[in-house]
Amino acid sequence: MVIYGVYIVSKSGGLIFNYECNVPKIETEKTFGYPLDLKLNYENKKIVVEFGQRDGVMVGHVLTAVNGIPATGRQLDDGRDVFDIINERENYPLSLKFARLRMTTNEKIFLASMFYPLFAIASQLSPEPRCSGIEVLEADTFKLQCFQTLTGVKFMVVAEPTQAGLDILLRRIYELYSDFALKNPFYSLEMPIRCELFDSNLQNLLEHVEKTGISNVRLTST
Amino acid sequence: MSRQGTRLDTKNVNSELFTLTYGALVSQLMKDYTNVEDVNKQLERMGYNIGIRLIEDFLARTGSGRCYDFRDTADKIQMGFRIFLGVTPTITNWSSAGDEFSLQFESNPLTEFIELPDHCLNLKYANVLTGVLRGACEMVQMEVTSWFAQDQLKGDTVTELRVKFVKRLEDAIPAGPYTPSSRAVSEQLTNSVCVLEIASSS
C-alpha cells in the first residue's frame, strides 16, 4: 500500500493543493578517476547524467555537488564552472554527488494544468456520448486516479500501479476538503489550500490507509 | 438530527444555539443598516457565500449525481434541508411547466423564538435560505431564484419558500460525463491554454 501523492486541481485548472509522500530520497556520492566514464549534459539549468549508468548513478540523475561543494546549475557555490573542473586532469580524483531531483512547485503547477486539457480532450475523443474524462491513468511505475466532482474540482492520487480502491480514498479526501477547507471562513475558493487542519487530517488519513488498507476507510455517507 | 454517519453525529449541536446565533446576526444587521431592504440583501449575500461552500459538503456526504430534471433537484434540496437543518419541508405547488415549486415548512428552526416587531414587517427574516439555494445551485451549474411566498412570522399558517428554475449554466459545466456541447469544452480548453501560458512564462 503505497501512495505517492495527492493533488487537487481547481475548477479553472490551477493546482490548489499538492502533497507528496513516500518518495524515497536517492543520493549517491562516488569518487571518480580521470577520464570521467559518465556522459554529462547541461540541460534545463541542470547537469544531467546522459549515458553510462553504474553503481547507483542512473541516467537522468542530476549532479548536486563536487567534492562536497554544492552546485547550482553549472556553477559551484564558490563560483567555479563544473565543466571546467571535470575536464581538468589535475582535479582528479573527484568526488561527485548525484541525486534524483524532486519536481519543483512550478513544475507541478505546470503539469497539473497540463492534465486539465488532457482530461477534456479525453471526454471529447470518446466514441460514446457522455464520457467521464480520464479516471485512471496507468503506467509501469505508478497509477493516477482522478475524481471530478459535480462542481468541477478534480482530486487526484498517484499510487503504486497495483493499488486498488483509490476511488474510495478520493471520496474521503473530498469529504476532508469540504470540511476543513471550505468550512474555513478564511479560505477563499479557487485559491491554494493552506489550511493546517486539512493537511493534518489528510496526513492522518494516508497514514491510516498505509497501516490498515483502503478497505478500512470509512465514508460518512454509507 | 438526521445526519448520517458516526463522525458527524458527535458534532451535532443543539439547534437552539444555532437559532440564537442567527437571531444575533439579524439583529446586528438591523442595527448596522437603517433600511430593512438592505438587511434582506445582506442576508441573501451571506447565504450565497454559505451555499457555494455548503454544496461540496452535501455532494461529498450524499454522493448524489447530477440532476437532469427539476423534480430531482427538488428532492435533493429537500434532502439538504433534512441534513443541514433537521427539517423536512414538503414539496408542493408545482407549476405546470415543472420549473417552479414550493417548499412548505411546518416549522423553521431559524424562526423558532421570533416575533417580528411592527417596524420591520418588510424584513425577510430567513432570507439567508434563498441565498444558500442560489449559491449551491449555481455551483452545480443551475441558476435558480427563490423567495418567501408565505411566512409564519407574518401571520401565514405555513412558511412557503418558492423556488424557480431560471436556466442551466451550460458554459460552466465541467468537461466530463455531463458535457452538453463541444462548445463548452473548447471554451474551457482556451481558458486552460491561457493558464498554461501564464504558468510557463513565470
Side-chain angles (χ1 to χ4, degrees), chain A residues 65-117:
Chain A
V66 177
N67 284 338
I69 306 166
T72 1
R74 57 185 296 163
Q75 212 177 35
L76 283 189
D77 276 5
D78 57 12
R80 289 179 296 166
D81 187 281
V82 174
F83 283 105
D84 289 349
I85 302 174
I86 288 176
N87 293 332
E88 291 291 328
R89 170 171 235 147
E90 61 264 28
N91 289 329
Y92 283 82
L94 259 184
S95 154
L96 301 178
K97 194 192 225 171
F98 293 92
R100 191 174 77 187
L101 281 198
R102 290 185 173 195
M103 269 191 289
T104 63
T105 313
N106 255 347
E107 286 167 328
K108 281 182 200 158
I109 292 173
F110 184 77
L111 289 178
S113 47
M114 196 82 109
F115 183 77
Y116 183 84

Side-chain angles (χ1 to χ4, degrees), chain A residues 172-192:
Chain A
R172 190 72 189 86
I173 296 173
Y174 184 26
E175 285 184 6
L176 291 182
Y177 165 77
S178 69
D179 275 346
F180 297 105
L182 292 182
K183 286 181 189 167
N184 180 350
F186 301 108
Y187 169 69
S188 29
L189 295 181
E190 298 270 307
M191 294 308 279

Side-chain angles (χ1 to χ4, degrees), chain A residues 21-83:
Chain A
C21 47
N22 296 316
V23 183
K25 197 175 181 194
I26 294 180
E27 262 189 350
T28 355
E29 185 149 24
K30 241 180 76 69
T31 310
F32 292 87
Y34 189 84
L36 193 63
D37 51 356
L38 294 170
K39 287 277 164 281
L40 299 181
N41 190 27
Y42 182 67
E43 56 182 41
N44 287 335
K45 295 178 183 161
K46 290 185 238 45
I47 296 173
V48 184
V49 181
E50 202 162 58
F51 198 64
Q53 66 180 23
R54 63 183 183 94
D55 304 330
V57 179
M58 304 292 200
V59 170
H61 282 191
V62 172
L63 180 74
T64 55
V66 177
N67 284 338
I69 306 166
T72 1
R74 57 185 296 163
Q75 212 177 35
L76 283 189
D77 276 5
D78 57 12
R80 289 179 296 166
D81 187 281
V82 174
F83 283 105

Side-chain angles (χ1 to χ4, degrees), chain A residues 11-14 106 109-110 113-114 116-117 119-121 123-124 130-133 148-153 171-172 174-189 218 220-222, chain B residues 3-8 11 52-68 84 139-141 172 174-179 181-182 185-186 188-189 191-192 195-196 199-200 202:
Chain A
K11 188 164 59 179
S12 45
N106 255 347
I109 292 173
F110 184 77
S113 47
M114 196 82 109
Y116 183 84
F119 185 94
I121 288 168
S123 63
Q124 286 273 289
R130 285 193 185 164
C131 161
S132 70
Q148 177 173 260
T149 70
L150 290 187
T151 52
V153 184
R171 296 300 305 254
R172 190 72 189 86
Y174 184 26
E175 285 184 6
L176 291 182
Y177 165 77
S178 69
D179 275 346
F180 297 105
L182 292 182
K183 286 181 189 167
N184 180 350
F186 301 108
Y187 169 69
S188 29
L189 295 181
R218 204 177 43 217
T220 46
S221 53
T222 41
Chain B
R3 269 217 171 183
Q4 295 152 329
T6 46
R7 194 170 59 92
L8 276 145
K11 275 194 196 165
I52 57 177
R53 289 162 185 252
L54 201 62
I55 181 69
E56 304 278 7
D57 190 44
F58 177 80
L59 294 175
R61 253 166 258 296
T62 60
S64 50
R66 188 171 296 275
C67 303
Y68 292 104
F84 294 113
M139 290 304 276
V140 285
Q141 301 88 35
Y178 318 104
T179 312
S181 63
S182 54
V185 172
S186 51
Q188 272 188 334
L189 284 178
N191 290 344
S192 62
V195 172
L196 275 180
S200 54
S202 63

Side-chain angles (χ1 to χ4, degrees), chain B residues 24-151:
Chain B
L25 175 79
V26 177
S27 73
Q28 185 64 46
L29 283 174
M30 289 297 288
K31 276 183 203 132
D32 292 351
Y33 294 88
T34 44
N35 190 345
V36 174
E37 283 306 316
D38 287 345
V39 177
N40 291 339
K41 210 185 288 169
Q42 286 301 323
L43 285 173
E44 207 269 351
R45 275 179 53 188
M46 286 178 193
Y48 174 81
N49 287 325
I50 295 172
I52 57 177
R53 289 162 185 252
L54 201 62
I55 181 69
E56 304 278 7
D57 190 44
F58 177 80
L59 294 175
R61 253 166 258 296
T62 60
S64 50
R66 188 171 296 275
C67 303
Y68 292 104
D69 178 37
F70 205 43
R71 281 168 204 277
D72 237 359
T73 315
D75 286 340
K76 284 183 179 141
I77 289 175
Q78 189 189 35
M79 196 199 302
F81 273 102
R82 200 171 63 233
I83 292 174
F84 294 113
L85 282 183
V87 291
T88 312
T90 16
I91 301 171
T92 54
N93 296 341
W94 276 98
S95 68
S96 49
D99 64 344
E100 237 181 281
F101 67 92
S102 291
L103 293 162
Q104 260 181 16
F105 299 84
E106 297 294 318
S107 67
N108 179 351
L110 288 178
T111 58
E112 210 172 330
F113 313 111
I114 314 298
E115 292 170 49
L116 282 188
D118 291 339
H119 69 274
C120 43
L121 281 178
N122 284 331
L123 175 68
K124 296 170 187 154
Y125 186 83
N127 212 29
V128 74
L129 295 181
T130 62
V132 171
L133 286 185
R134 181 167 72 91
C137 289
E138 187 185 299
M139 290 304 276
V140 285
Q141 301 88 35
M142 207 177 341
E143 193 178 324
V144 301
T145 52
S146 56
W147 63 94
F148 282 97
Q150 293 187 69
D151 197 337

Side-chain angles (χ1 to χ4, degrees), chain B residues 148-190:
Chain B
F148 282 97
Q150 293 187 69
D151 197 337
Q152 279 165 325
L153 291 179
K154 298 186 179 150
D156 299 315
T157 46
V158 286
T159 300
E160 181 182 344
L161 183 60
R162 191 101 181 118
V163 186
K164 182 176 166 49
F165 174 85
V166 181
K167 64 172 188 228
R168 289 254 284 171
L169 304 163
E170 303 279 345
D171 291 346
I173 296 181
Y178 318 104
T179 312
S181 63
S182 54
R183 192 170 60 93
V185 172
S186 51
E187 262 170 36
Q188 272 188 334
L189 284 178
T190 340

